[in-house]
Amino acid sequence: MTDSGDRKKDWYKEMSFYQIWVRSFADGNGDGIGDLYGVYDKLEYVKRLGVDGIWFSPIYPSPNADFGYDISDYRNIHPDFGNLDQFKKVLNKAHSLGLKVIMDLVVNHTSDEHPWFIESCKGKDNPYSDYYIWRDKPNNWKSLFEGEAWEYNRERGQYYLHIFAKKQPDLNMDNPKVRQEVKDIMRFWLDMGVDGFREDVINFISKKEGLPDGIPFLPAVNGMPYYKDGPHIHEYLGEFRKVCQEYDCFQIGEGPMTTVKSAKKYLTGKTKSLDMMFSFDHMMADCIYTEYIHRPFSLVKLKKAFTKWQTALNGIGWNALYLENHDHPRIISRYGSELYWRESGTMLAASYIFQQGTPFIYQGQEIGMTNISLSSIDKYIDVSSHNNYKNVHTNEPERNRLKRIQMSSRDSSRTPMQWTPEKYAGFSTNKPWFYINHNYKTVNVETEDKDPNSILNFYRKCLSLRKEHEWLIYGRYR
Ligand code: GLC
Ligand code: CA
């Protein structure tokens, strides 16, 4: 890092965020599932870490086919997590502590249990008929999560598109009514006082007219050229941007497989519609698109990815910095070494927090949580892990397929947060909904809090240094 240059200052650039995946964060009412009562009690902890905002992964009602990323009601809270009143309490307390709150906006698809989809299935003369993408004859696209990208619906007598799981039908964003719904949903949360959105797979929402067939031999991603950065993407995001500009709010888009070149269109110039984007290049130093292909970790690939994004956006855009989230396994187990746990955890923290950009820290990352390794596929829950086990590397022996899941499953980042060395890691007073990592007796908040050389205290130090020295935020990367 060098000079602070003439880079434009914005409040979100000086922040850092903490991502909460509520189901595994803290259980406040003792049913084994994390909730907003638990979040409420832990807000001081989040504040003390030194972050300035929270991103909540989806907390809306959902049948949980994809743990909240399949939404059945955009204007409510999942009963497992509490209710709208409890959310408002969390929001107010967060604000009083000086923490911003951003919500996950998942509008590429809904749950198949969303009332819009239920109506849409009823027939072509229904008011919701064109809310989804229906065809008499499917194309050859594969879904990213569950076999073919099309599922037949008997009631309607047609196929619907689902880029993700079968229970996640894609919305038809070409329909102006659907875009109006999205804007109304945004206003609902902004009026309540939230500070912005993390926009899920936002570069997928505009599909190429005619939905042409993809390259047949490509697994899973064959349709991607026709739904990534689609023809109307900037127009649609421009509409959403306008709503946000009425509020002083902030937007970060998730951009799976996005390139520097296409990201610039979202982040700069006339088509600017997002403040930041989560890119994936640096997540592929040991894999290609999370679970599909695994390869040994390459430090060179990692450095190239960092350098590419830091250089390309310098002075014109702004990077989102992250190493973990609910979709990627734990970083110490991937890019570090569990044997050199403390060294790996602190080294990885320093490697990204001091780049130019806004750091995001995923729950548990700050205490160095590591991957779990379950002994059979049945013990894993994630829909994507099951898909990869069943459908993707079918010519390989089962042993190898399980190994890949153990290394790459999203479930590794979704084990309960480790708060104390006590029973159930202090996450709950009852048996938690999912496996706890066996290392919780040493890897936990209470123990690390007391140890000045812990990973937790190192994160705190990094974040406070970033606040003290502006050049750590606006400086150029070399
Ligand atoms: C995003 C989310 C992921 C989800 C997918 C489909 O990649 O981060 O968790 O499964 O979108 O909504
Ligand atoms: Ca609970």
Side-chain angles (χ1 to χ4, degrees):
M1 291 290 183
T2 55
D3 66 275
S4 50
D6 56 357
R7 276 155 278 275
K8 189 172 161 282
K9 293 179 184 174
D10 282 298
W11 58 263
Y12 61 80
K13 294 181 179 168
E14 296 177 13
M15 300 179 61
S16 51
F17 276 92
Y18 190 72
Q19 181 193 350
I20 297 185
W21 198 78
V22 172
R23 177 163 295 268
S24 284
F25 187 58
D27 177 16
N29 65 358
D31 63 358
I33 300 174
D35 50 45
L36 290 174
Y37 310 100
V39 170
Y40 187 90
D41 293 339
K42 300 292 186 190
L43 285 177
E44 283 86 359
Y45 166 78
V46 174
K47 175 72 186 173
R48 226 199 113 204
L49 183 59
V51 298
D52 316 277
I54 295 169
W55 149 30
F56 282 113
S57 270
I59 49 178
Y60 320 100
S62 160
N64 283 336
D66 186 20
F67 284 111
Y69 284 90
D70 48 323
I71 297 171
S72 54
D73 181 356
Y74 285 97
R75 291 179 175 79
N76 216 331
I77 299 294
H78 197 298
D80 284 350
F81 299 157
N83 50 39
L84 276 174
D85 279 341
Q86 183 58 24
F87 176 72
K88 286 177 195 161
K89 283 188 190 152
V90 168
L91 183 65
N92 288 338
K93 184 172 171 188
H95 282 165
S96 71
L97 289 168
L99 296 168
K100 304 253 184 206
V101 172
I102 66 170
M103 302 295 273
D104 221 303
L105 184 72
V106 187
V107 294
N108 177 68
H109 44 265
T110 68
S111 162
D112 67 340
E113 297 180 33
H114 193 289
W116 301 337
F117 189 73
I118 295 171
E119 287 300 312
S120 199
C121 289
K122 291 185 181 159
K124 293 182 189 161
D125 44 11
N126 187 283
Y128 295 91
S129 148
D130 290 331
Y131 267 46
Y132 296 85
I133 301 172
W134 294 98
R135 288 290 180 275
D136 293 329
K137 252 189 76 198
N139 67 13
N140 73 354
W141 295 0
K142 299 271 183 281
S143 103
L144 293 175
F145 279 0
E146 250 186 327
E148 304 298 319
W150 297 88
E151 185 71 7
Y152 188 70
N153 177 270
R154 227 181 286 145
E155 191 183 0
R156 168 125 173 180
Q158 282 189 305
Y159 293 84
Y160 66 86
L161 176 69
H162 63 90
I163 293 177
F164 292 90
K166 286 179 192 161
K167 285 182 69 64
Q168 293 171 300
D170 279 54
L171 281 164
N172 173 17
M173 209 48 82
D174 295 332
N175 181 347
K177 284 193 212 150
V178 172
R179 301 202 297 280
Q180 190 53 49
E181 299 275 10
V182 174
K183 290 179 264 185
D184 292 347
I185 292 164
M186 293 174 96
R187 282 183 198 283
F188 176 84
W189 293 100
L190 290 168
D191 286 336
M192 198 181 292
V194 311
D195 303 287
F197 300 101
R198 176 266 187 190
E199 303 180 4
D200 190 63
V201 294
I202 203 66
N203 53 343
F204 289 2
I205 64 169
S206 163
K207 278 84 176 169
K208 171 115 177 134
E209 284 89 1
L211 311 179
D213 272 339
I215 306 164
F217 56 83
L218 275 183
V221 293
N222 72 338
M224 207 177 266
Y226 304 111
Y227 60 74
K228 185 164 79 78
D229 306 323
H232 301 287
I233 186 75
H234 298 292
E235 184 188 324
Y236 299 164
L237 287 188
E239 288 183 29
F240 304 161
R241 183 76 169 171
K242 275 209 185 107
V243 175
C244 279
Q245 280 167 342
E246 290 172 33
Y247 303 75
D248 184 21
C249 101
F250 144 86
Q251 293 170 280
I252 174 160
E254 185 205 22
M257 309 299 262
T258 197
T259 59
V260 158
K261 196 170 157 228
S262 63
K264 280 185 186 166
K265 296 208 180 112
Y266 294 85
L267 299 174
T268 67
K270 275 204 199 96
T271 49
K272 175 171 171 144
S273 53
L274 297 169
D275 300 299
M276 289 179 228
M277 244 177 147
F278 286 122
S279 61
F280 278 51
D281 283 340
H282 70 295
M283 282 288 104
M284 298 200 278
D286 67 351
C287 69
I288 294 177
Y289 199 58
T290 55
E291 292 153 329
Y292 295 110
I293 295 177
H294 251 269
R295 53 193 182 193
F297 167 66
S298 157
L299 180 60
V300 172
K301 284 204 174 82
L302 179 66
K303 290 203 283 188
K304 278 191 176 154
F306 280 157
T307 304
K308 180 159 84 179
W309 284 85
Q310 288 286 307
T311 316
L313 294 187
N314 182 43
I316 56 167
W318 197 249
N319 272 294
L321 311 171
Y322 76 97
L323 289 179
E324 283 188 13
N325 61 38
H326 64 292
D327 289 332
H328 301 285
R330 296 292 185 176
I331 203 66
I332 292 179
S333 310
R334 293 176 67 189
Y335 293 3
S337 152
E338 289 177 21
L339 280 179
Y340 296 93
W341 169 71
R342 186 188 302 255
E343 291 82 350
S344 296
T346 50
M347 173 274 290
L348 287 163
S351 79
Y352 90 106
I353 288 180
F354 298 130
Q355 290 184 36
Q356 189 190 88
T358 297
F360 284 74
I361 294 154
Y362 177 63
Q363 67 186 43
Q365 179 187 338
E366 79 280 18
I367 55 169
M369 282 178 66
T370 59
N371 284 353
I372 42 156
S373 187
L374 303 175
S375 58
S376 105
I377 186 66
D378 306 324
K379 294 189 172 158
Y380 286 89
I381 309 181
D382 178 30
V383 59
S384 161
S385 300
H386 282 273
N387 182 51
N388 280 295
Y389 185 83
K390 252 185 286 162
N391 301 328
V392 182
H393 299 280
T394 40
N395 53 345
E396 286 187 14
E398 284 203 20
R399 193 167 21 99
N400 294 12
R401 281 189 270 155
L402 181 61
K403 183 104 198 294
R404 191 188 337 273
I405 300 305
Q406 290 165 338
M407 283 188 331
S408 64
S409 174
R410 305 195 296 178
D411 283 336
S412 268
S413 57
R414 299 173 179 188
T415 63
M417 175 78 181
Q418 296 162 202
W419 293 99
T420 72
E422 270 107 63
K423 203 170 177 197
Y424 304 136
F427 164 76
S428 176
T429 48
N430 259 305
K431 192 167 186 279
W433 73 279
F434 196 40
Y435 300 97
I436 289 185
N437 194 309
H438 58 79
N439 63 15
Y440 71 93
K441 292 207 166 130
T442 44
V443 182
N444 67 70
V445 171
E446 192 180 285
T447 307
E448 292 188 41
D449 190 45
K450 290 183 242 165
D451 171 2
N453 296 318
S454 65
I455 296 178
L456 174 60
N457 280 315
F458 189 82
Y459 268 89
R460 288 174 174 155
K461 207 176 289 170
C462 291
L463 292 172
S464 82
L465 271 175
R466 198 175 164 274
K467 281 201 194 308
E468 285 161 33
H469 304 286
E470 213 177 50
W471 51 270
L472 282 176
I473 299 172
Y474 294 103
R476 203 183 318 124
Y477 168 99
R478 230 192 258 154

